[in-house]
Amino acid sequence: MTHTIAFIGLGNMGGGMAANLLKNGYAVRAFDLSEDALAKAESHGAVRAASAADAVAGADAVVTMLPAGKHVEGVYQGDVFGAAKADALFLDCSTIDVATARRVIDAASAKGFDMVDAPVSGGIAAANGGTLTFMVGGADAAFARAKPILSAMGKAVIHAGGAGNGQAAKICNNMLLGATMVATCESFAMAKKLGLDPQTFYDISSVSSGQSWSMTSYCPVPGVGPQTPADNGYQGGFAAGLMLKDMKLATEAAALVGASVPMGNVAESLYQLLVNKGEAARDFSLMIEMLEGK
């Protein structure tokens, strides 16, 4: 059984994930470049490591939650592979490009390690609450070893196929979400200009063929539907800058494999405009204000 986990990358998502591993009986050796992140991890019961390699030495498994592919590849090649014990399991929960995910897993396999890519869906609240969904790519044996660890941090752990398929599932899902939110926002904006009350339009569309998750679970209009970031000045939720990152990963992957994604391309350009307006930190459903010309 895996007892000790090295956790590298304790930001908004990683901090909550590591805390849930601790709650479920795992020992966690934590490393992050941020002193605040390390102090918070210690307050939950993690042991502070002096470096990534120090965290990995002797650990049964390594979980990474890092910003981009270059960071993931740098940490594994520079710190993890050389410090890990022979039978260590690697789980990268970052959202990165498919090609890098596959390259790092291939490198791990060549050195005799089991590794999965396991990006998440659910956001900060789900990371804190232990209700994330994990989309996992990797060999069957690696997935079987990873599932108990991922289950300690989430509500759903789904094997998407071979190496990199977790990332593929994540970016396809988020491209769909990003494009659907744009369509939802523009529909509300147009309905308002046509003289429809937003609540009335919601009452109609939410039970009609225009219904979507962006409409009924994450409505971009304040005061309409369930509580969402729109009701809090578009604070919290899923930052527009992160949505732009995921849209770029999706459209880059599409270009590499020759997939036609016209809606994804347009949505990416619109999130780029939103970020250019200085709104990278606010929720991506703020798109509605940009479309309304605010």
Side-chain angles (χ1 to χ4, degrees):
M1 178 181 173
T2 300
H3 297 289
T4 302
I5 296 177
F7 205 113
I8 303 169
L10 296 146
N12 288 332
M13 295 293 292
M17 292 163 66
N20 278 301
L21 288 173
L22 288 158
K23 286 178 190 174
N24 281 281
Y26 291 97
V28 173
R29 288 162 51 183
F31 179 73
D32 194 281
L33 295 175
S34 162
E35 171 61 32
D36 288 346
L38 280 173
K40 190 171 182 181
E42 275 189 305
S43 75
H44 289 130
V47 174
R48 177 192 295 245
S51 65
D54 180 48
V56 169
D60 300 302
V62 179
V63 177
T64 46
M65 192 63 169
L66 300 165
K70 63 182 180 181
H71 305 109
V72 172
E73 193 156 30
V75 164
Y76 278 93
Q77 293 285 5
D79 299 290
V80 177
F81 291 155
K85 67 178 188 176
D87 60 346
L89 169 68
F90 305 149
L91 306 88
D92 180 44
C93 296
S94 319
T95 295
I96 64 171
D97 62 288
V98 177
T100 298
R102 289 178 174 159
R103 191 164 60 246
V104 175
I105 291 176
D106 286 348
S109 297
K111 296 178 184 297
F113 295 109
D114 282 338
M115 182 173 183
V116 297
D117 57 296
V120 306
S121 179
I124 297 169
N128 292 334
T131 58
L132 292 166
T133 293
F134 289 91
M135 297 155 254
V136 190
D140 289 347
F143 175 74
R145 290 184 66 193
K147 189 173 182 180
I149 298 171
L150 297 173
S151 296
M153 300 183 285
K155 65 175 182 182
V157 180
I158 302 165
H159 194 192
N165 277 24
Q167 301 296 346
K170 170 69 184 283
I171 61 175
C172 287
N173 178 78
N174 279 26
M175 182 176 71
L176 178 59
L177 170 61
T180 306
M181 180 56 80
V182 171
T184 302
C185 290
E186 65 186 17
S187 297
F188 268 109
M190 185 171 79
K192 186 176 178 181
K193 289 197 171 186
L194 289 170
L196 271 172
D197 175 72
Q199 183 64 55
T200 301
F201 176 57
Y202 176 89
D203 291 343
I204 294 167
S205 190
S206 64
V207 293
S208 300
S209 54
Q211 187 276 333
S212 69
W213 187 87
S214 296
M215 166 73 68
T216 53
S217 295
Y218 213 90
C219 185
V221 181
V224 177
Q227 187 86 7
T228 68
D231 299 306
N232 188 37
Y234 300 95
Q235 301 295 332
F238 187 47
L242 292 178
M243 176 53 81
L244 177 60
K245 171 196 168 184
D246 288 358
M247 296 301 295
K248 285 183 179 294
L249 287 173
T251 56
E252 287 165 8
L256 285 173
V257 296
S260 177
V261 290
M263 298 296 288
N265 288 327
V266 172
E268 180 197 332
S269 69
L270 289 168
Y271 288 109
Q272 184 70 65
L273 287 173
L274 185 60
V275 168
N276 289 349
K277 286 167 65 74
E279 299 292 4
R282 288 212 281 171
D283 186 75
F284 77 116
S285 63
L286 182 67
M287 177 64 66
I288 192 167
E289 289 196 355
M290 189 179 82
L291 293 173
E292 289 176 333
K294 293 181 179 177

